[in-house]
Amino acid sequence: MITAAGVSEHSADALPALLARDDGLVWVDIPGCDPQAVHVLSEVFRFHPMAVQDCVERNRVPKMHAYSDHVLVVLHAPERGERGHVHYVELDQIIGRNYLVTVHGPVNPAVPPEVPLRETSQVLARLRSGRLRPVIPFDLSYAIASALIRNQEDYVEAVTSQVWHLEQRVTGGEPDDALEFLNELFQARHGLLAVRTMATLSGAIYGRVAALTAISDAGKRLAADLADKFERVRAVADGEREYLQGVIEYYHTVLVIKAALIGQAQNEEVQRLTAASYAQNEQVKKISAWAAIFFAPSLIGTVYGMNFIHMPELHWTLGYPLALVLMLASSAALYLFFKRRGWL
């Protein structure tokens, strides 16, 4: 219970009596929507069944529903996970005439247990220290949503620092592992897109809240201010995303140029090997041609050098000159043949 005298804590059994008072503001913070919490939401506050269902189930996008006597607002805060994953930490608010109920939606077990209570713990510390004294429920809701916005801004700041480091690695020299570096680039881009989505949808929600006729003028002003703050987070995330896109395009250009240079070097090497292979083939052809030219006289000389008894050519007077002429003629014929084929 929040009154002009300060903050006091009570059990769930005291809720009916506290809600009947008109001298303060009741804040109920529910860490997890278990059956007892569902009973309080349904039987004590008598919220609309759809509002209770939204508190029990996980909502993947921010939303707002206005009922006859209360307004449900669902927001998300980012939390960095492993391998670039972004956890959507849900915070539900139900705002009534003299109360505010905050419900921390289902959370991934990988998220540390203190993370979902981050914003409400910060606001509770301000209440206990006397630095915050809300008068209407929207004052308290505004403080909690502002804490969530600061966490979104801190997340963008952390990703921005990572983006600057990535840019230095690109401009300072080629990263060691191109695939791992590209993975880091797109992880940072994913984080910025996630926060941008959260801020954009949340800003639109508070724009709708500011237009509700059932909300007081003070509540409308606070909702409009929150919409403006979420819009600023979106703009900053967009700016950093564009900056990161420039880094990605620059690195992509570096990879393309490097691949082109490697391809050019490979083409030059292939051309060199092709020229060497062509020259080698030419030499082989010349050697083969001369071997064939010299083979013909050797063959004739070998045949006529066998000196068999029954070789009539051995007794011819013109046998020796004819053998020489045959050798020369066969060699000349082969030379002319290979010359015309371009082998010599």
Side-chain angles (χ1 to χ4, degrees), residues 81-314:
E82 295 182 356
R83 298 183 298 276
H85 179 68
V86 180
H87 295 289
Y88 282 57
V89 182
E90 182 176 334
L91 175 61
D92 305 332
Q93 299 182 69
I94 303 180
I95 309 167
R97 180 183 62 84
N98 63 337
Y99 60 81
L100 172 68
V101 179
T102 52
V103 182
H104 303 274
V107 181
N108 191 315
V111 177
E114 68 275 6
V115 170
L117 306 176
R118 183 172 47 197
E119 290 81 13
T120 53
S121 297
Q122 294 171 0
V123 173
L124 181 59
R126 294 176 60 195
L127 288 172
R128 288 172 174 171
S129 66
R131 292 181 290 115
L132 176 63
R133 281 292 179 264
V135 177
I136 60 175
F138 263 100
D139 290 336
L140 184 58
S141 174
Y142 177 85
I144 296 173
S146 295
L148 185 143
I149 291 172
R150 286 193 295 271
N151 289 326
Q152 289 184 353
E153 291 173 339
D154 291 342
Y155 190 93
V156 174
E157 174 67 24
V159 177
T160 300
S161 177
Q162 180 184 0
V163 170
W164 289 359
H165 179 64
L166 292 172
E167 183 199 25
Q168 290 174 356
R169 290 169 61 186
V170 171
T171 57
E174 183 180 353
D176 297 332
D177 189 339
L179 184 60
E180 179 63 24
F181 185 73
L182 284 173
N183 189 41
E184 292 181 36
L185 286 172
F186 283 100
Q187 285 179 2
R189 184 174 182 270
H190 171 67
L192 291 173
L193 283 174
V195 177
R196 180 196 185 280
T197 301
M198 294 179 191
T200 301
L201 296 178
S202 299
I205 284 172
Y206 276 101
R208 290 180 57 197
V209 172
L212 294 176
T213 57
I215 303 299
S216 65
D217 292 339
K220 291 180 180 180
R221 287 193 298 269
L222 293 175
D225 187 63
L226 288 174
D228 182 68
K229 289 183 177 180
F230 278 117
E231 175 63 21
R232 185 172 66 252
V233 174
R234 182 204 63 78
V236 173
D238 271 344
E240 293 302 326
R241 183 170 60 91
E242 291 296 327
Y243 185 84
L244 176 61
Q245 186 63 32
V247 177
I248 293 175
E249 292 176 358
Y250 176 79
Y251 185 58
H252 177 263
T253 303
V254 170
L255 292 180
V256 170
I257 293 176
K258 181 182 177 181
L261 293 175
I262 292 176
Q264 181 180 356
Q266 290 176 343
N267 290 336
E268 292 175 353
E269 181 65 16
V270 169
Q271 292 176 358
R272 187 187 66 80
L273 293 175
T274 302
S277 177
Y278 177 79
Q280 184 179 14
N281 289 337
E282 292 298 315
Q283 295 297 326
V284 169
K285 288 192 293 185
K286 290 181 180 180
I287 294 172
S288 300
W290 284 112
I293 291 172
F294 287 111
F295 174 74
S298 300
L299 176 62
I300 296 172
T302 300
V303 172
Y304 283 101
M306 290 186 289
N307 296 322
F308 288 111
I309 296 175
H310 299 289
M311 290 182 66
E313 294 86 356
L314 294 177

